[in-house]
PDB file of all heavy atoms in Angstrom:
ATOM      1  N   VAL A 143      65.157 133.686 124.293  1.00 94.00           N
ATOM      2  CA  VAL A 143      64.634 134.967 123.800  1.00 94.00           C
ATOM      3  C   VAL A 143      65.646 135.670 122.896  1.00 94.00           C
ATOM      4  O   VAL A 143      65.304 136.614 122.198  1.00 94.00           O
ATOM      5  CB  VAL A 143      64.189 135.906 124.950  1.00 94.00           C
ATOM      6  CG1 VAL A 143      63.001 135.342 125.696  1.00 94.00           C
ATOM      7  CG2 VAL A 143      65.333 136.212 125.900  1.00 94.00           C
ATOM      8  N   ALA A 144      66.901 135.187 122.910  1.00 91.00           N
ATOM      9  CA  ALA A 144      67.909 135.777 122.021  1.00 91.00           C
ATOM     10  C   ALA A 144      67.810 135.199 120.605  1.00 91.00           C
ATOM     11  O   ALA A 144      68.413 135.722 119.669  1.00 91.00           O
ATOM     12  CB  ALA A 144      69.307 135.531 122.596  1.00 91.00           C
ATOM     13  N   ASP A 145      67.036 134.107 120.420  1.00 94.00           N
ATOM     14  CA  ASP A 145      66.905 133.483 119.098  1.00 94.00           C
ATOM     15  C   ASP A 145      65.988 134.314 118.195  1.00 94.00           C
ATOM     16  O   ASP A 145      65.042 134.950 118.670  1.00 94.00           O
ATOM     17  CB  ASP A 145      66.276 132.076 119.218  1.00 94.00           C
ATOM     18  CG  ASP A 145      67.133 131.125 120.052  1.00 94.00           C
ATOM     19  OD1 ASP A 145      68.350 131.379 120.173  1.00 94.00           O
ATOM     20  OD2 ASP A 145      66.566 130.143 120.574  1.00 94.00           O
ATOM     21  N   ALA A 146      66.246 134.246 116.886  1.00 93.00           N
ATOM     22  CA  ALA A 146      65.344 134.889 115.923  1.00 93.00           C
ATOM     23  C   ALA A 146      64.028 134.116 115.906  1.00 93.00           C
ATOM     24  O   ALA A 146      64.031 132.891 116.026  1.00 93.00           O
ATOM     25  CB  ALA A 146      65.975 134.875 114.545  1.00 93.00           C
ATOM     26  N   VAL A 147      62.919 134.832 115.803  1.00 95.00           N
ATOM     27  CA  VAL A 147      61.606 134.156 115.764  1.00 95.00           C
ATOM     28  C   VAL A 147      60.808 134.694 114.571  1.00 95.00           C
ATOM     29  O   VAL A 147      59.853 135.438 114.739  1.00 95.00           O
ATOM     30  CB  VAL A 147      60.814 134.310 117.093  1.00 95.00           C
ATOM     31  CG1 VAL A 147      61.287 133.322 118.134  1.00 95.00           C
ATOM     32  CG2 VAL A 147      60.928 135.719 117.674  1.00 95.00           C
ATOM     33  N   ASP A 148      61.209 134.259 113.412  1.00 94.00           N
ATOM     34  CA  ASP A 148      60.615 134.803 112.188  1.00 94.00           C
ATOM     35  C   ASP A 148      59.810 133.786 111.392  1.00 94.00           C
ATOM     36  O   ASP A 148      59.417 134.070 110.266  1.00 94.00           O
ATOM     37  CB  ASP A 148      61.728 135.353 111.273  1.00 94.00           C
ATOM     38  CG  ASP A 148      62.479 136.493 111.952  1.00 94.00           C
ATOM     39  OD1 ASP A 148      61.832 137.254 112.693  1.00 94.00           O
ATOM     40  OD2 ASP A 148      63.703 136.597 111.753  1.00 94.00           O
ATOM     41  N   HIS A 149      59.599 132.591 111.964  1.00 95.00           N
ATOM     42  CA  HIS A 149      58.922 131.556 111.175  1.00 95.00           C
ATOM     43  C   HIS A 149      57.775 130.915 111.943  1.00 95.00           C
ATOM     44  O   HIS A 149      57.821 129.730 112.308  1.00 95.00           O
ATOM     45  CB  HIS A 149      59.940 130.496 110.718  1.00 95.00           C
ATOM     46  CG  HIS A 149      61.035 131.095 109.889  1.00 95.00           C
ATOM     47  ND1 HIS A 149      62.274 131.404 110.388  1.00 95.00           N
ATOM     48  CD2 HIS A 149      61.030 131.504 108.600  1.00 95.00           C
ATOM     49  CE1 HIS A 149      63.002 131.964 109.423  1.00 95.00           C
ATOM     50  NE2 HIS A 149      62.273 132.034 108.340  1.00 95.00           N
ATOM     51  N   PRO A 150      56.704 131.696 112.190  1.00 95.00           N
ATOM     52  CA  PRO A 150      55.541 131.133 112.889  1.00 95.00           C
ATOM     53  C   PRO A 150      54.841 130.085 112.033  1.00 95.00           C
ATOM     54  O   PRO A 150      54.898 130.160 110.797  1.00 95.00           O
ATOM     55  CB  PRO A 150      54.629 132.359 113.085  1.00 95.00           C
ATOM     56  CG  PRO A 150      55.051 133.337 112.044  1.00 95.00           C
ATOM     57  CD  PRO A 150      56.513 133.109 111.803  1.00 95.00           C
ATOM     58  N   VAL A 151      54.188 129.104 112.688  1.00 92.00           N
ATOM     59  CA  VAL A 151      53.455 128.097 111.920  1.00 92.00           C
ATOM     60  C   VAL A 151      51.942 128.195 112.135  1.00 92.00           C
ATOM     61  O   VAL A 151      51.205 127.329 111.712  1.00 92.00           O
ATOM     62  CB  VAL A 151      53.949 126.646 112.209  1.00 92.00           C
ATOM     63  CG1 VAL A 151      55.366 126.453 111.712  1.00 92.00           C
ATOM     64  CG2 VAL A 151      53.850 126.292 113.682  1.00 92.00           C
ATOM     65  N   SER A 152      51.496 129.258 112.819  1.00 93.00           N
ATOM     66  CA  SER A 152      50.048 129.489 112.915  1.00 93.00           C
ATOM     67  C   SER A 152      49.806 130.992 112.906  1.00 93.00           C
ATOM     68  O   SER A 152      50.699 131.778 113.252  1.00 93.00           O
ATOM     69  CB  SER A 152      49.485 128.895 114.215  1.00 93.00           C
ATOM     70  OG  SER A 152      50.007 129.602 115.330  1.00 93.00           O
ATOM     71  N   LEU A 153      48.593 131.377 112.523  1.00 95.00           N
ATOM     72  CA  LEU A 153      48.262 132.806 112.545  1.00 95.00           C
ATOM     73  C   LEU A 153      48.288 133.322 113.983  1.00 95.00           C
ATOM     74  O   LEU A 153      48.695 134.456 114.247  1.00 95.00           O
ATOM     75  CB  LEU A 153      46.882 133.048 111.924  1.00 95.00           C
ATOM     76  CG  LEU A 153      46.495 134.531 111.931  1.00 95.00           C
ATOM     77  CD1 LEU A 153      47.282 135.315 110.898  1.00 95.00           C
ATOM     78  CD2 LEU A 153      45.004 134.715 111.713  1.00 95.00           C
ATOM     79  N   TYR A 154      47.861 132.477 114.921  1.00 96.00           N
ATOM     80  CA  TYR A 154      47.919 132.866 116.343  1.00 96.00           C
ATOM     81  C   TYR A 154      49.333 133.308 116.702  1.00 96.00           C
ATOM     82  O   TYR A 154      49.547 134.373 117.283  1.00 96.00           O
ATOM     83  CB  TYR A 154      47.473 131.685 117.221  1.00 96.00           C
ATOM     84  CG  TYR A 154      47.770 131.879 118.692  1.00 96.00           C
ATOM     85  CD1 TYR A 154      47.087 132.831 119.440  1.00 96.00           C
ATOM     86  CD2 TYR A 154      48.755 131.116 119.334  1.00 96.00           C
ATOM     87  CE1 TYR A 154      47.373 133.020 120.786  1.00 96.00           C
ATOM     88  CE2 TYR A 154      49.037 131.294 120.669  1.00 96.00           C
ATOM     89  CZ  TYR A 154      48.343 132.254 121.396  1.00 96.00           C
ATOM     90  OH  TYR A 154      48.629 132.443 122.733  1.00 96.00           O
ATOM     91  N   ALA A 155      50.313 132.465 116.339  1.00 96.00           N
ATOM     92  CA  ALA A 155      51.711 132.783 116.655  1.00 96.00           C
ATOM     93  C   ALA A 155      52.136 134.075 115.963  1.00 96.00           C
ATOM     94  O   ALA A 155      52.845 134.907 116.551  1.00 96.00           O
ATOM     95  CB  ALA A 155      52.611 131.630 116.217  1.00 96.00           C
ATOM     96  N   ALA A 156      51.679 134.242 114.718  1.00 97.00           N
ATOM     97  CA  ALA A 156      52.055 135.457 113.977  1.00 97.00           C
ATOM     98  C   ALA A 156      51.506 136.701 114.675  1.00 97.00           C
ATOM     99  O   ALA A 156      52.184 137.735 114.745  1.00 97.00           O
ATOM    100  CB  ALA A 156      51.532 135.371 112.546  1.00 97.00           C
ATOM    101  N   THR A 157      50.286 136.607 115.235  1.00 98.00           N
ATOM    102  CA  THR A 157      49.741 137.796 115.932  1.00 98.00           C
ATOM    103  C   THR A 157      50.509 138.055 117.218  1.00 98.00           C
ATOM    104  O   THR A 157      50.731 139.205 117.595  1.00 98.00           O
ATOM    105  CB  THR A 157      48.230 137.662 116.240  1.00 98.00           C
ATOM    106  OG1 THR A 157      47.996 136.550 117.114  1.00 98.00           O
ATOM    107  CG2 THR A 157      47.408 137.523 114.985  1.00 98.00           C
ATOM    108  N   LYS A 158      50.931 136.998 117.907  1.00 98.00           N
ATOM    109  CA  LYS A 158      51.678 137.182 119.165  1.00 98.00           C
ATOM    110  C   LYS A 158      53.048 137.790 118.871  1.00 98.00           C
ATOM    111  O   LYS A 158      53.524 138.663 119.600  1.00 98.00           O
ATOM    112  CB  LYS A 158      51.819 135.843 119.906  1.00 98.00           C
ATOM    113  CG  LYS A 158      50.521 135.390 120.540  1.00 98.00           C
ATOM    114  CD  LYS A 158      50.157 136.307 121.710  1.00 98.00           C
ATOM    115  CE  LYS A 158      48.777 136.077 122.252  1.00 98.00           C
ATOM    116  NZ  LYS A 158      48.418 136.957 123.369  1.00 98.00           N
ATOM    117  N   ARG A 159      53.688 137.338 117.796  1.00 97.00           N
ATOM    118  CA  ARG A 159      54.980 137.926 117.408  1.00 97.00           C
ATOM    119  C   ARG A 159      54.768 139.397 117.007  1.00 97.00           C
ATOM    120  O   ARG A 159      55.581 140.258 117.353  1.00 97.00           O
ATOM    121  CB  ARG A 159      55.588 137.118 116.258  1.00 97.00           C
ATOM    122  CG  ARG A 159      56.910 137.663 115.752  1.00 97.00           C
ATOM    123  CD  ARG A 159      57.994 137.626 116.821  1.00 97.00           C
ATOM    124  NE  ARG A 159      59.233 138.227 116.343  1.00 97.00           N
ATOM    125  CZ  ARG A 159      59.994 139.055 117.075  1.00 97.00           C
ATOM    126  NH1 ARG A 159      59.653 139.386 118.309  1.00 97.00           N
ATOM    127  NH2 ARG A 159      61.104 139.538 116.569  1.00 97.00           N
ATOM    128  N   SER A 160      53.669 139.660 116.295  1.00 98.00           N
ATOM    129  CA  SER A 160      53.361 141.047 115.919  1.00 98.00           C
ATOM    130  C   SER A 160      53.207 141.916 117.160  1.00 98.00           C
ATOM    131  O   SER A 160      53.668 143.060 117.195  1.00 98.00           O
ATOM    132  CB  SER A 160      52.069 141.128 115.117  1.00 98.00           C
ATOM    133  OG  SER A 160      52.110 140.244 114.052  1.00 98.00           O
ATOM    134  N   ASN A 161      52.558 141.359 118.183  1.00 98.00           N
ATOM    135  CA  ASN A 161      52.378 142.113 119.437  1.00 98.00           C
ATOM    136  C   ASN A 161      53.719 142.539 120.010  1.00 98.00           C
ATOM    137  O   ASN A 161      53.873 143.648 120.502  1.00 98.00           O
ATOM    138  CB  ASN A 161      51.648 141.262 120.489  1.00 98.00           C
ATOM    139  CG  ASN A 161      50.186 141.050 120.175  1.00 98.00           C
ATOM    140  OD1 ASN A 161      49.506 140.285 120.853  1.00 98.00           O
ATOM    141  ND2 ASN A 161      49.670 141.704 119.155  1.00 98.00           N
ATOM    142  N   GLU A 162      54.697 141.648 119.931  1.00 97.00           N
ATOM    143  CA  GLU A 162      56.025 141.983 120.459  1.00 97.00           C
ATOM    144  C   GLU A 162      56.644 143.129 119.658  1.00 97.00           C
ATOM    145  O   GLU A 162      57.244 144.049 120.223  1.00 97.00           O
ATOM    146  CB  GLU A 162      56.946 140.751 120.404  1.00 97.00           C
ATOM    147  CG  GLU A 162      56.469 139.621 121.293  1.00 97.00           C
ATOM    148  CD  GLU A 162      57.371 138.380 121.259  1.00 97.00           C
ATOM    149  OE1 GLU A 162      58.261 138.293 120.379  1.00 97.00           O
ATOM    150  OE2 GLU A 162      57.190 137.498 122.110  1.00 97.00           O
ATOM    151  N   LEU A 163      56.471 143.081 118.353  1.00 97.00           N
ATOM    152  CA  LEU A 163      57.066 144.122 117.500  1.00 97.00           C
ATOM    153  C   LEU A 163      56.347 145.460 117.699  1.00 97.00           C
ATOM    154  O   LEU A 163      56.980 146.521 117.778  1.00 97.00           O
ATOM    155  CB  LEU A 163      57.024 143.689 116.031  1.00 97.00           C
ATOM    156  CG  LEU A 163      57.782 142.384 115.718  1.00 97.00           C
ATOM    157  CD1 LEU A 163      57.527 141.937 114.285  1.00 97.00           C
ATOM    158  CD2 LEU A 163      59.280 142.538 115.955  1.00 97.00           C
ATOM    159  N   MET A 164      55.007 145.398 117.804  1.00 98.00           N
ATOM    160  CA  MET A 164      54.235 146.622 118.041  1.00 98.00           C
ATOM    161  C   MET A 164      54.652 147.236 119.381  1.00 98.00           C
ATOM    162  O   MET A 164      54.867 148.451 119.498  1.00 98.00           O
ATOM    163  CB  MET A 164      52.726 146.293 118.087  1.00 98.00           C
ATOM    164  CG  MET A 164      52.162 145.841 116.756  1.00 98.00           C
ATOM    165  SD  MET A 164      50.687 144.804 116.953  1.00 98.00           S
ATOM    166  CE  MET A 164      49.417 146.025 117.170  1.00 98.00           C
TER     167      MET A 164
END
Side-chain angles (χ1 to χ4, degrees):
V143 294
D145 298 338
V147 279
D148 298 325
H149 301 100
V151 294
S152 66
L153 180 73
Y154 168 69
T157 62
K158 287 291 170 180
R159 178 63 183 137
S160 308
N161 288 173
E162 296 180 348
L163 300 172
M164 293 155 82

